[in-house]
Amino acid sequence: MGFLGDSIESIRSLQIRQVLTQIVSLGMIVTSALIIWKGLMCVTGSESPVVVVLSGSMEPGFKRGDILFLHMSNDPIRTGEIVVFNVDGREIPIVHRVIKLHERQETGEVDILTKGDNNFGDDRLLYAQGQLWLQQHHIMGRAVGYLPYVGWVTIIMTEKPIVKYLLIGALGLLVITSKD
Amino acid sequence: MHSFWYRANAVLTFGVTMLAAMCTLASISDNFNLPSPSAEVKILNINWFQKQANGNDEVSMTLNVSSDLSSLFTWNTKQVFVFVAAEYETPQNALNQVSLWDGIIPSKEHSKFWIHTTNKYRFVDQGSNLKGKDFNLTLHWHIMPKTGKMFADKIVMTGYRLPEEYR
């Protein structure tokens, strides 16, 4: 038994060690991605610091698949700023420009009207039934930075889930089989 | 160690890093542009001025906007969004901003412009405070870059006044 047992033992211990390091490195990748995302949330003060433009309503400035970096500071919102807002009863946030604004004298509450640069009319048709203005709590953030095309990755992955599974599978296989 | 995938990964990583660095540099270079735009807005006519059935004042006017925004354009500028807003204070509201006209300037060649227009968006107050109201007309611009940070600024023009009576 002596020689054979020893060699089997050595292979097994090597594999366990390799599997463990692979699990750790995979964990490192996942957690560092999470740290970057949460860190961005802290820095920008917005619950979703990066959004993907999904419609062509802001063309030619922003096209479908571009990404915007959001910032949520305490500065009051003003006309001309591009804000991302959630309307009650709609799941997908909208990225449009503020065209009218009324700020109350004492409370500082705001009434905001938005419009997409490429749309003909203002957004009252998109708001909830009978809603004329957006309030502060609808606003998720204002766009401060822009990067073209990068968002196509997420659009393709959400619309064609098969691509996502293929990609995850291939990456997983690569991590497991790589020997470095 | 020097397998195909290892090299492909290295090339991809290097490419993405370089692209990110170039985008960052392009965006940073915008900060060195110190623009000196000019603008003039004239109110040629108050077409009509009345109280709506729901009690809000509404006014329609003809504007003449002339502006030179060519100094805003850099190599990283995709377009400039420009708009004229009426800004005023009322007893109820500390600030009212109503966009009257806007436009997209696609390139430097179109950045010196002159336009004669009625207000594109309705100038409606929240309430009835517009009679004899002093207000500012502000020309705002919003620079949309090819990549990176967006810039915005404005020129405030004061001394406009609405008529004392509806017409």
PDB file of all heavy atoms in Angstrom, chain B residues 2 15 36 43 46 59 63 81 86 90-91 93 100 109 112 119 126 134-137 154:
ATOM      1  N   HIS B   2       1.479  31.077 -20.405  1.00  0.00           N
ATOM      2  CA  HIS B   2       1.353  31.879 -21.613  1.00  0.00           C
ATOM      3  C   HIS B   2       0.351  31.271 -22.579  1.00  0.00           C
ATOM      4  O   HIS B   2       0.552  31.262 -23.771  1.00  0.00           O
ATOM      5  CB  HIS B   2       2.715  32.057 -22.277  1.00  0.00           C
ATOM      6  CG  HIS B   2       3.672  32.784 -21.392  1.00  0.00           C
ATOM      7  ND1 HIS B   2       3.538  34.124 -21.128  1.00  0.00           N
ATOM      8  CD2 HIS B   2       4.730  32.357 -20.674  1.00  0.00           C
ATOM      9  CE1 HIS B   2       4.492  34.492 -20.305  1.00  0.00           C
ATOM     10  NE2 HIS B   2       5.225  33.441 -20.004  1.00  0.00           N
ATOM     11  N   GLY B  15      -6.664  46.917 -22.890  1.00  0.00           N
ATOM     12  CA  GLY B  15      -7.496  47.750 -23.771  1.00  0.00           C
ATOM     13  C   GLY B  15      -8.528  48.537 -22.996  1.00  0.00           C
ATOM     14  O   GLY B  15      -8.675  49.746 -23.193  1.00  0.00           O
ATOM     15  N   SER B  36     -16.392  82.081 -22.885  1.00  0.00           N
ATOM     16  CA  SER B  36     -16.886  83.452 -22.687  1.00  0.00           C
ATOM     17  C   SER B  36     -18.070  83.686 -23.631  1.00  0.00           C
ATOM     18  O   SER B  36     -17.956  84.407 -24.604  1.00  0.00           O
ATOM     19  CB  SER B  36     -15.768  84.451 -22.981  1.00  0.00           C
ATOM     20  OG  SER B  36     -15.222  84.176 -24.256  1.00  0.00           O
ATOM     21  N   ILE B  43     -37.757  90.989 -25.500  1.00  0.00           N
ATOM     22  CA  ILE B  43     -39.180  90.674 -25.619  1.00  0.00           C
ATOM     23  C   ILE B  43     -39.760  91.637 -26.633  1.00  0.00           C
ATOM     24  O   ILE B  43     -39.792  92.847 -26.403  1.00  0.00           O
ATOM     25  CB  ILE B  43     -39.897  90.811 -24.270  1.00  0.00           C
ATOM     26  CG1 ILE B  43     -39.301  89.804 -23.280  1.00  0.00           C
ATOM     27  CG2 ILE B  43     -41.389  90.579 -24.425  1.00  0.00           C
ATOM     28  CD1 ILE B  43     -39.882  89.904 -21.906  1.00  0.00           C
ATOM     29  N   ILE B  46     -45.904  91.277 -26.135  1.00  0.00           N
ATOM     30  CA  ILE B  46     -46.731  90.426 -25.291  1.00  0.00           C
ATOM     31  C   ILE B  46     -47.978  90.121 -26.117  1.00  0.00           C
ATOM     32  O   ILE B  46     -48.801  91.006 -26.354  1.00  0.00           O
ATOM     33  CB  ILE B  46     -47.122  91.138 -23.978  1.00  0.00           C
ATOM     34  CG1 ILE B  46     -45.885  91.620 -23.223  1.00  0.00           C
ATOM     35  CG2 ILE B  46     -47.990  90.242 -23.109  1.00  0.00           C
ATOM     36  CD1 ILE B  46     -45.038  90.545 -22.618  1.00  0.00           C
ATOM     37  N   VAL B  59     -49.253  83.941 -19.879  1.00  0.00           N
ATOM     38  CA  VAL B  59     -48.842  84.984 -20.804  1.00  0.00           C
ATOM     39  C   VAL B  59     -48.165  84.350 -22.018  1.00  0.00           C
ATOM     40  O   VAL B  59     -47.505  83.320 -21.911  1.00  0.00           O
ATOM     41  CB  VAL B  59     -47.927  86.020 -20.081  1.00  0.00           C
ATOM     42  CG1 VAL B  59     -46.727  85.356 -19.474  1.00  0.00           C
ATOM     43  CG2 VAL B  59     -47.491  87.120 -21.017  1.00  0.00           C
ATOM     44  N   LEU B  63     -40.266  86.374 -28.466  1.00  0.00           N
ATOM     45  CA  LEU B  63     -38.900  86.622 -28.004  1.00  0.00           C
ATOM     46  C   LEU B  63     -37.946  86.697 -29.182  1.00  0.00           C
ATOM     47  O   LEU B  63     -38.153  86.062 -30.211  1.00  0.00           O
ATOM     48  CB  LEU B  63     -38.435  85.474 -27.105  1.00  0.00           C
ATOM     49  CG  LEU B  63     -39.188  85.214 -25.817  1.00  0.00           C
ATOM     50  CD1 LEU B  63     -38.724  83.897 -25.229  1.00  0.00           C
ATOM     51  CD2 LEU B  63     -38.955  86.334 -24.836  1.00  0.00           C
ATOM     52  N   PHE B  81     -27.098  71.948 -25.081  1.00  0.00           N
ATOM     53  CA  PHE B  81     -28.534  72.185 -24.932  1.00  0.00           C
ATOM     54  C   PHE B  81     -28.693  73.584 -24.355  1.00  0.00           C
ATOM     55  O   PHE B  81     -28.118  73.904 -23.317  1.00  0.00           O
ATOM     56  CB  PHE B  81     -29.134  71.144 -23.985  1.00  0.00           C
ATOM     57  CG  PHE B  81     -30.609  71.246 -23.824  1.00  0.00           C
ATOM     58  CD1 PHE B  81     -31.453  70.588 -24.702  1.00  0.00           C
ATOM     59  CD2 PHE B  81     -31.169  72.003 -22.812  1.00  0.00           C
ATOM     60  CE1 PHE B  81     -32.830  70.676 -24.571  1.00  0.00           C
ATOM     61  CE2 PHE B  81     -32.542  72.098 -22.677  1.00  0.00           C
ATOM     62  CZ  PHE B  81     -33.368  71.432 -23.554  1.00  0.00           C
ATOM     63  N   ALA B  86     -37.782  82.018 -17.762  1.00  0.00           N
ATOM     64  CA  ALA B  86     -38.217  83.180 -16.983  1.00  0.00           C
ATOM     65  C   ALA B  86     -38.112  82.806 -15.515  1.00  0.00           C
ATOM     66  O   ALA B  86     -38.533  81.720 -15.117  1.00  0.00           O
ATOM     67  CB  ALA B  86     -39.653  83.542 -17.339  1.00  0.00           C
ATOM     68  N   THR B  90     -42.549  84.925  -6.122  1.00  0.00           N
ATOM     69  CA  THR B  90     -43.911  85.313  -5.767  1.00  0.00           C
ATOM     70  C   THR B  90     -44.071  85.148  -4.256  1.00  0.00           C
ATOM     71  O   THR B  90     -43.237  84.513  -3.617  1.00  0.00           O
ATOM     72  CB  THR B  90     -44.942  84.424  -6.487  1.00  0.00           C
ATOM     73  OG1 THR B  90     -44.661  83.060  -6.181  1.00  0.00           O
ATOM     74  CG2 THR B  90     -44.900  84.611  -7.988  1.00  0.00           C
ATOM     75  N   PRO B  91     -45.145  85.713  -3.679  1.00  0.00           N
ATOM     76  CA  PRO B  91     -45.338  85.547  -2.225  1.00  0.00           C
ATOM     77  C   PRO B  91     -45.369  84.074  -1.808  1.00  0.00           C
ATOM     78  O   PRO B  91     -44.904  83.714  -0.737  1.00  0.00           O
ATOM     79  CB  PRO B  91     -46.703  86.208  -1.984  1.00  0.00           C
ATOM     80  CG  PRO B  91     -46.864  87.182  -3.106  1.00  0.00           C
ATOM     81  CD  PRO B  91     -46.150  86.596  -4.277  1.00  0.00           C
ATOM     82  N   ASN B  93     -44.032  81.393  -3.723  1.00  0.00           N
ATOM     83  CA  ASN B  93     -42.875  80.619  -4.153  1.00  0.00           C
ATOM     84  C   ASN B  93     -41.590  81.445  -4.107  1.00  0.00           C
ATOM     85  O   ASN B  93     -41.545  82.557  -4.628  1.00  0.00           O
ATOM     86  CB  ASN B  93     -43.079  80.118  -5.586  1.00  0.00           C
ATOM     87  CG  ASN B  93     -44.176  79.082  -5.689  1.00  0.00           C
ATOM     88  OD1 ASN B  93     -44.458  78.380  -4.722  1.00  0.00           O
ATOM     89  ND2 ASN B  93     -44.804  79.006  -6.838  1.00  0.00           N
ATOM     90  N   LEU B 100     -39.036  78.816 -21.444  1.00  0.00           N
ATOM     91  CA  LEU B 100     -39.848  79.413 -22.505  1.00  0.00           C
ATOM     92  C   LEU B 100     -39.475  78.890 -23.884  1.00  0.00           C
ATOM     93  O   LEU B 100     -40.315  78.738 -24.753  1.00  0.00           O
ATOM     94  CB  LEU B 100     -39.677  80.934 -22.501  1.00  0.00           C
ATOM     95  CG  LEU B 100     -40.095  81.664 -21.229  1.00  0.00           C
ATOM     96  CD1 LEU B 100     -39.882  83.144 -21.395  1.00  0.00           C
ATOM     97  CD2 LEU B 100     -41.537  81.380 -20.889  1.00  0.00           C
ATOM     98  N   GLU B 109     -20.424  75.109 -35.634  1.00  0.00           N
ATOM     99  CA  GLU B 109     -20.864  75.945 -36.768  1.00  0.00           C
ATOM    100  C   GLU B 109     -22.224  76.579 -36.510  1.00  0.00           C
ATOM    101  O   GLU B 109     -22.551  77.614 -37.076  1.00  0.00           O
ATOM    102  CB  GLU B 109     -20.949  75.110 -38.058  1.00  0.00           C
ATOM    103  CG  GLU B 109     -19.621  74.719 -38.663  1.00  0.00           C
ATOM    104  CD  GLU B 109     -18.973  73.547 -37.933  1.00  0.00           C
ATOM    105  OE1 GLU B 109     -19.593  72.476 -37.926  1.00  0.00           O
ATOM    106  OE2 GLU B 109     -17.886  73.723 -37.359  1.00  0.00           O
ATOM    107  N   LYS B 112     -23.482  80.202 -33.232  1.00  0.00           N
ATOM    108  CA  LYS B 112     -23.845  81.621 -33.271  1.00  0.00           C
ATOM    109  C   LYS B 112     -25.225  81.696 -33.889  1.00  0.00           C
ATOM    110  O   LYS B 112     -25.375  81.438 -35.086  1.00  0.00           O
ATOM    111  CB  LYS B 112     -22.860  82.391 -34.144  1.00  0.00           C
ATOM    112  CG  LYS B 112     -21.774  83.067 -33.360  1.00  0.00           C
ATOM    113  CD  LYS B 112     -20.944  83.947 -34.273  1.00  0.00           C
ATOM    114  CE  LYS B 112     -19.540  84.026 -33.719  1.00  0.00           C
ATOM    115  NZ  LYS B 112     -18.615  84.671 -34.628  1.00  0.00           N
ATOM    116  N   ASN B 119     -43.125  81.866 -27.205  1.00  0.00           N
ATOM    117  CA  ASN B 119     -42.684  80.885 -26.217  1.00  0.00           C
ATOM    118  C   ASN B 119     -43.160  79.488 -26.585  1.00  0.00           C
ATOM    119  O   ASN B 119     -44.326  79.257 -26.870  1.00  0.00           O
ATOM    120  CB  ASN B 119     -43.096  81.269 -24.794  1.00  0.00           C
ATOM    121  CG  ASN B 119     -44.552  81.631 -24.675  1.00  0.00           C
ATOM    122  OD1 ASN B 119     -45.124  82.218 -25.577  1.00  0.00           O
ATOM    123  ND2 ASN B 119     -45.164  81.262 -23.579  1.00  0.00           N
ATOM    124  N   GLN B 126     -48.121  79.689 -10.940  1.00  0.00           N
ATOM    125  CA  GLN B 126     -48.926  78.960  -9.959  1.00  0.00           C
ATOM    126  C   GLN B 126     -49.669  80.016  -9.152  1.00  0.00           C
ATOM    127  O   GLN B 126     -49.172  80.521  -8.159  1.00  0.00           O
ATOM    128  CB  GLN B 126     -48.049  78.132  -9.023  1.00  0.00           C
ATOM    129  CG  GLN B 126     -47.532  76.849  -9.657  1.00  0.00           C
ATOM    130  CD  GLN B 126     -46.909  75.933  -8.632  1.00  0.00           C
ATOM    131  OE1 GLN B 126     -46.351  76.385  -7.635  1.00  0.00           O
ATOM    132  NE2 GLN B 126     -46.978  74.641  -8.865  1.00  0.00           N
ATOM    133  N   ASP B 134     -41.924  91.900 -12.093  1.00  0.00           N
ATOM    134  CA  ASP B 134     -40.545  91.985 -12.579  1.00  0.00           C
ATOM    135  C   ASP B 134     -39.979  90.574 -12.645  1.00  0.00           C
ATOM    136  O   ASP B 134     -40.155  89.792 -11.722  1.00  0.00           O
ATOM    137  CB  ASP B 134     -39.688  92.799 -11.601  1.00  0.00           C
ATOM    138  CG  ASP B 134     -40.059  94.263 -11.648  1.00  0.00           C
ATOM    139  OD1 ASP B 134     -40.191  94.808 -12.747  1.00  0.00           O
ATOM    140  OD2 ASP B 134     -40.252  94.853 -10.559  1.00  0.00           O
ATOM    141  N   PHE B 135     -39.295  90.272 -13.721  1.00  0.00           N
ATOM    142  CA  PHE B 135     -38.702  88.940 -13.813  1.00  0.00           C
ATOM    143  C   PHE B 135     -37.381  88.975 -14.567  1.00  0.00           C
ATOM    144  O   PHE B 135     -37.069  89.941 -15.254  1.00  0.00           O
ATOM    145  CB  PHE B 135     -39.686  87.945 -14.448  1.00  0.00           C
ATOM    146  CG  PHE B 135     -40.017  88.219 -15.894  1.00  0.00           C
ATOM    147  CD1 PHE B 135     -39.461  87.458 -16.900  1.00  0.00           C
ATOM    148  CD2 PHE B 135     -40.895  89.235 -16.232  1.00  0.00           C
ATOM    149  CE1 PHE B 135     -39.771  87.703 -18.224  1.00  0.00           C
ATOM    150  CE2 PHE B 135     -41.214  89.492 -17.556  1.00  0.00           C
ATOM    151  CZ  PHE B 135     -40.657  88.727 -18.554  1.00  0.00           C
ATOM    152  N   ASN B 136     -36.611  87.913 -14.387  1.00  0.00           N
ATOM    153  CA  ASN B 136     -35.343  87.759 -15.104  1.00  0.00           C
ATOM    154  C   ASN B 136     -35.535  86.786 -16.255  1.00  0.00           C
ATOM    155  O   ASN B 136     -36.299  85.836 -16.143  1.00  0.00           O
ATOM    156  CB  ASN B 136     -34.264  87.169 -14.193  1.00  0.00           C
ATOM    157  CG  ASN B 136     -33.903  88.099 -13.063  1.00  0.00           C
ATOM    158  OD1 ASN B 136     -34.196  89.285 -13.103  1.00  0.00           O
ATOM    159  ND2 ASN B 136     -33.282  87.543 -12.040  1.00  0.00           N
ATOM    160  N   LEU B 137     -34.826  87.022 -17.310  1.00  0.00           N
ATOM    161  CA  LEU B 137     -34.723  85.994 -18.347  1.00  0.00           C
ATOM    162  C   LEU B 137     -33.306  85.444 -18.270  1.00  0.00           C
ATOM    163  O   LEU B 137     -32.342  86.193 -18.266  1.00  0.00           O
ATOM    164  CB  LEU B 137     -34.990  86.578 -19.730  1.00  0.00           C
ATOM    165  CG  LEU B 137     -36.454  86.811 -20.072  1.00  0.00           C
ATOM    166  CD1 LEU B 137     -36.590  87.480 -21.417  1.00  0.00           C
ATOM    167  CD2 LEU B 137     -37.225  85.497 -20.068  1.00  0.00           C
ATOM    168  N   LYS B 154     -24.977  79.659 -16.864  1.00  0.00           N
ATOM    169  CA  LYS B 154     -26.068  80.513 -17.327  1.00  0.00           C
ATOM    170  C   LYS B 154     -25.651  81.966 -17.407  1.00  0.00           C
ATOM    171  O   LYS B 154     -24.633  82.364 -16.829  1.00  0.00           O
ATOM    172  CB  LYS B 154     -27.258  80.378 -16.370  1.00  0.00           C
ATOM    173  CG  LYS B 154     -26.906  80.835 -14.965  1.00  0.00           C
ATOM    174  CD  LYS B 154     -28.017  80.533 -13.996  1.00  0.00           C
ATOM    175  CE  LYS B 154     -27.597  80.921 -12.591  1.00  0.00           C
ATOM    176  NZ  LYS B 154     -28.602  80.592 -11.591  1.00  0.00           N
TER     177      LYS B 154
END
